[in-house]
Amino acid sequence: MRKGKKPADVVIRDAKLVNVCTAEIQEGIDVAIAQGRIAYLGSAEHCIGESTQVIDAQGQYIAPGFLDGHIHVESSMMGVGEYARAVVPHGTTGIYMDPHEICNVLGLDGVKVMDEDAHRTPLKTMITTPSCVPAVPGFEDTGSFVGPEDVAETMSWPSVVGLGEMMNFPGILGGTDHAHGEVGATLEAGKIVTGHYSMPETDRGLNAYIASGVRLLPRIDARRRRTGQDALRHVRDAALRIRLERPAGAGRSRDRQRHRHALRSARKRRHASSHPGGRRAPRPHRAHGGSNWASTPSPPSRWSPSTAPSASRMDHDLGSIAPGKCADIVFLDNLEDLRVTRVLIDGDVVAEDGRPTFDLEPFVFPAWVTHSMHLGLDITPETFAVPVPEGASNTAARIRTIEVIPGKVGTFETHVDLPVIEGLLESDTGLDVLKTFVFERHHETGTFGYGFVKGFGIKRGAMASTVAHDAHNLLVVGTNDDDMALAANTLASCGGGMVVVADGEILGLVELPIAGLMDALPAEELSAKVHALEGAWEKIGCTMPSPFMTMALIPLACLPELRLTNRGLVDCTTFQFASLLAAQ
Amino acid sequence: MRKGKKPADVVIRDAKLVNVCTAEIQEGIDVAIAQGRIAYLGSAEHCIGESTQVIDAQGQYIAPGFLDGHIHVESSMMGVGEYARAVVPHGTTGIYMDPHEICNVLGLDGVKVMDEDAHRTPLKTMITTPSCVPAVPGFEDTGSFVGPEDVAETMSWPSVVGLGEMMNFPGILGGTDHAHGEVGATLEAGKIVTGHYSMPETDRGLNAYIASGVRLLPRIDARRRRTGQDALRHVRDAALRIRLERPAGAGRSRDRQRHRHALRSARKRRHASSHPGGRRAPRPHRAHGGSNWASTPSPPSRWSPSTAPSASRMDHDLGSIAPGKCADIVFLDNLEDLRVTRVLIDGDVVAEDGRPTFDLEPFVFPAWVTHSMHLGLDITPETFAVPVPEGASNTAARIRTIEVIPGKVGTFETHVDLPVIEGLLESDTGLDVLKTFVFERHHETGTFGYGFVKGFGIKRGAMASTVAHDAHNLLVVGTNDDDMALAANTLASCGGGMVVVADGEILGLVELPIAGLMDALPAEELSAKVHALEGAWEKIGCTMPSPFMTMALIPLACLPELRLTNRGLVDCTTFQFASLLAAQ
């Protein structure tokens, strides 16, 4: 670093520097790198010695590595190790990971395992401690619990940069010791509290929410349209933060979509080789994994440094190509589709031409991670009998159904009249109404809740999933009890995952033995399985895009309107349990 | 804070909010404040209870309190307590204080005393630990020394937010353990290293300087003109930081000027009452102390949050009027001259109509602070005899003089032929060349250096000062030995300060007993003394503005071109001692 007195480890020559600080392109720039950090920008001839690795950019653009400001890696269904192999080649050099899903299943010990998995990759993995485990206390049974003392303890972990999205806004607004204790423990440690607020009320509520010390994340922005263009009028600061905290180069931060796109990306590449004539139309905007999945080209004057690093007190290390910063650099062919051709992390070339150039050390997940199915009952076809609710007539019952909305996280509460057949209620494919069960799977309590879901359009068979937000209990939906039992037991025996069955046959199965959420397979192999699963959904009549994701949200009791947990139906507008029988 | 369920402590009604986050003015805004923080922005009727203090803004503008991103309070000649009384009424609610001057005299114990003085005021006082004590090791004797271990220790002090301007760029570029150890200790503590770089070379040197982990402060910006418009071309990031880190609402951060303006402000107010017809023309742009001294009105679209808080990891507390932030708020009549009419800090009204409304608890400076003159010799007129340098002729000597530049910090080295009178060199008012002495005053070493200074234009008498950057030894300049001895001994006996004498008479004296740098007087009284001192300078023939400040920089051995310390003349372009005799 001493003014070129020692040769650099790496010199990039003749690049077009995307300078996010000054919002300009600088041509003919060399970058000298020493000890993983940028030592010099300019004409770096003098930094080149015998041992220096010289990378001729040949006039390509170089930009700071993409940062994912908020992500639940579990939703990629991959462990962090394989996730890194999938996204780094597309330019992601750092992620802010909120391991909320595994924490619901395995607690902070599960978070630690993901941290360890991450450490064998060059991907910079910052952790925000999951704040809401369980998401909606009292309405579901999770595998674990996180409280203020747990949060305080994690703040000393080297990878932890703050508290994960505090979506317990009722707790914040109600002044609970739990929610405020977690916020306090984080602020006390000098770290950041990331937010998540989905209430339509944005005056007193949102003011109070922000005043608690929470920072809002970009996701709110996407919701703004739902809550009205002028909803944030009185909390303009919040609006600004939203804009500010969106990482540079990243589009909307709807992470579930993003992960899906990452998977699709892998699949698309597979298609390119093995199914060149596949019937799916090319989706170029989904052609790249990670943070750049939906980057919209913008004129250089609109560029600015990613604010994720400054929000997380890491802007001395990350966010721009400047002296002293980590040499996390992406090479780009052009600024239109942001196709990444080479990636450096800490000065090491970690990907070329869309392929990782780093190897993963082997990582063995412990048995308590890969054996997380702890059902407290034997599931048989009889388990799925739904007796007619008390108060209904002998012939028909008007019931609440959870109507799913394709591609959305919300649900509607829709009332449907079902016939009573031999004292029971059954799925009705004509009405597109299906029996739905959620079985507690963490502590062998044997508890389960049931209800009906509307909108999947399937005509036969059943589906099950242990990806079932946020408690990740065993979720089963189906047209008949035999197939529902088969689906449930298939997952019970393989350690969790997602399955589609019909007529006693398994049509598609994605095993997810890591906490019932992830597999350690490489992205390509996992993607093939997910693709096959999607095919199975189609075979039983579902035309919805990514129906397994829509299904996985059925138990998400923190979002409106109606949800089902292992404890029963939850009215998520009033946060009360709801009866199956609707008011006539 | 609970959504208005409890009454607010304070509600500001009907304000025009200067929203620095969204760069807009929002009219008709109420602000509810609870426990010193902003709880709500909007229509706050519901937050008003019986005990709520309601402040009707009557349509006035409110803006976030001004933050001074870098300041040496000692240069105001006031202790922090009185400094706060002077600047808070003009809108300064927080300062980032680098107590570099007192640290050179009294070490970190002196810094602690200033911290204690600050704690009795509502002014938020963040400290950056002085990094360069002494400023130029080996060329002068200071009262103290700061090294990496000292820096590491201060990082645990609650008021310390980082390392003060690392002006030892030769140490950084040369890779010394001292400079890098201080930077490392600060980064290790997760705090910021503030920079100061004044080299014209801005390619390899500035790259290496920034790569060390230092952040540049706005002062560099002012210097940019000196080093050429395109000097920073290759370190655009640095340029941006400079722009970014200028506090919102503040002009150039040339703190010495700023302090002077603060003093002038106080003086001007005094004039307004006691010297309404005084001959000084009104200087409206200097009429306000603190951060707003030179604020240039700019359209709202140019406003942005102060980045001092984010750079110092304090943006969760400071920098905007937003929920959860400290209620540090200024009321403004208009956005043209930014005249501040009311100031709130932590929700308390601390100033109204330019006057502080807070009282200071008494603070007694300890004796070791107020008795810092430790001269190791008796100074008599004979002490000031300057023998003709070896190698000169018997009749004349061509000598190096320090030519001061009015209103600038730099000096020129100018060569002048002086006659030899009875084997001695004497001051020559015809040539405007004056004898100059610097006496070590910290450790009774009795050492002193001498030389000649050119440019003050005085015709008689002598001046002395213990404000003599950065070692703050005893500096004496004069036309004759008797007056020089009188000036020196006047300060020796009063504990330090600044004095002008002529013909055996004291014409002006500002006693600065606190480390020889400050007094505990209120700004108005101190200002009157400083004004009298300026009058004394005029009486002996000096027409320079603020000549005592120009004089105080004579020993500043870190800036070009020629300086004088207690060890002798220093060539500050080559950092070598220089002989009095110039090459013929």
Side-chain angles (χ1 to χ4, degrees), chain B residues 230-530:
Chain B
D230 60 349
L232 297 186
R233 179 181 297 158
H234 297 303
V235 196
R236 296 283 167 84
D237 179 61
L240 182 84
R241 283 172 179 281
I242 287 159
R243 245 177 288 142
L244 282 180
E245 293 181 4
R246 177 178 301 165
R252 301 204 182 283
S253 171
R254 296 181 62 180
D255 48 279
R256 290 188 184 86
Q257 284 196 8
R258 187 182 300 178
H259 295 289
R260 190 180 54 190
H261 294 151
L263 267 182
R264 285 239 162 99
S265 163
R267 190 173 59 229
K268 186 175 172 292
R269 284 199 305 281
R270 196 182 56 83
H271 273 202
S273 55
S274 61
H275 297 276
R279 67 176 177 75
R280 279 182 193 278
R283 282 176 279 189
H285 71 286
R286 290 175 174 173
H288 307 299
S291 295
N292 61 347
W293 66 275
S295 297
T296 307
S298 60
S301 64
R302 299 284 298 279
W303 295 341
S304 62
S306 166
T307 56
S310 65
S312 60
R313 320 312 202 193
M314 298 183 75
D315 53 345
H316 54 295
D317 286 334
L318 307 179
S320 61
I321 298 180
K325 300 283 176 79
C326 296
D328 300 345
I329 297 172
V330 298
F331 287 62
L332 303 162
D333 264 347
N334 60 67
L335 298 181
E336 280 67 52
D337 65 7
L338 297 186
R339 201 173 75 84
V340 173
T341 62
R342 183 185 285 116
V343 182
L344 272 68
I345 297 181
D346 293 333
D348 295 326
V349 176
V350 292
E352 295 263 15
D353 297 322
R355 280 184 297 275
T357 56
F358 59 91
D359 290 320
L360 289 182
E361 297 283 315
F363 185 78
V364 179
F365 287 90
W368 57 269
V369 171
T370 54
H371 293 76
S372 68
M373 292 298 289
H374 304 289
L375 287 164
L377 76 171
D378 288 326
I379 296 174
T380 65
E382 290 69 35
T383 308
F384 295 96
V386 175
V388 63
E390 210 171 310
S393 78
N394 288 336
T395 54
R398 174 161 295 176
I399 58 158
R400 300 175 205 275
T401 72
I402 300 165
E403 182 172 357
V404 297
I405 313 166
K408 303 284 183 189
V409 296
T411 65
F412 296 127
E413 175 181 325
T414 305
H415 299 173
V416 172
D417 290 320
L418 276 190
V420 175
I421 302 166
E422 295 176 11
L424 300 174
L425 299 178
E426 301 291 353
S427 294
D428 187 324
T429 55
L431 294 170
D432 191 16
V433 167
L434 303 174
K435 277 189 200 172
T436 306
F437 278 67
V438 176
F439 297 94
E440 192 277 325
R441 71 162 176 106
H442 304 298
H443 300 297
E444 299 186 356
T445 62
T447 58
F448 62 90
Y450 59 83
F452 287 82
V453 73
K454 179 172 170 52
F456 282 109
I458 72 165
K459 301 300 176 195
R460 62 197 184 95
M463 304 82 71
S465 178
T466 54
V467 179
H469 295 277
D470 280 338
H472 302 297
N473 284 308
L474 173 60
L475 168 66
V476 189
V477 179
T479 61
N480 67 85
D481 299 348
D482 287 343
D483 281 339
M484 290 177 82
L486 173 61
N489 286 315
T490 301
L491 296 188
S493 60
C494 77
M498 300 185 299
V499 67
V500 173
V501 306
D503 308 321
E505 193 187 339
I506 295 171
L507 302 184
L509 172 62
V510 180
E511 296 102 333
L512 299 174
I514 303 171
L517 300 171
M518 295 170 277
D519 198 359
L521 288 178
E524 292 77 5
E525 294 175 43
L526 187 59
S527 182
K529 286 190 173 191
V530 171

Side-chain angles (χ1 to χ4, degrees), chain A residues 473-490:
Chain A
N473 284 309
L474 172 61
L475 168 66
V476 189
V477 180
T479 61
N480 66 84
D481 299 348
D482 288 343
D483 281 340
M484 290 177 81
L486 174 61
N489 286 316
T490 302

Side-chain angles (χ1 to χ4, degrees), chain B residues 168-202:
Chain B
N168 183 12
F169 41 82
I172 293 290
L173 300 187
T176 67
D177 290 341
H178 180 268
H180 285 275
E182 291 189 345
V183 170
T186 306
L187 295 178
E188 187 72 25
K191 308 208 169 184
I192 55 158
V193 179
T194 64
H196 170 126
Y197 186 88
S198 61
M199 303 262 281
E201 197 281 302
T202 54

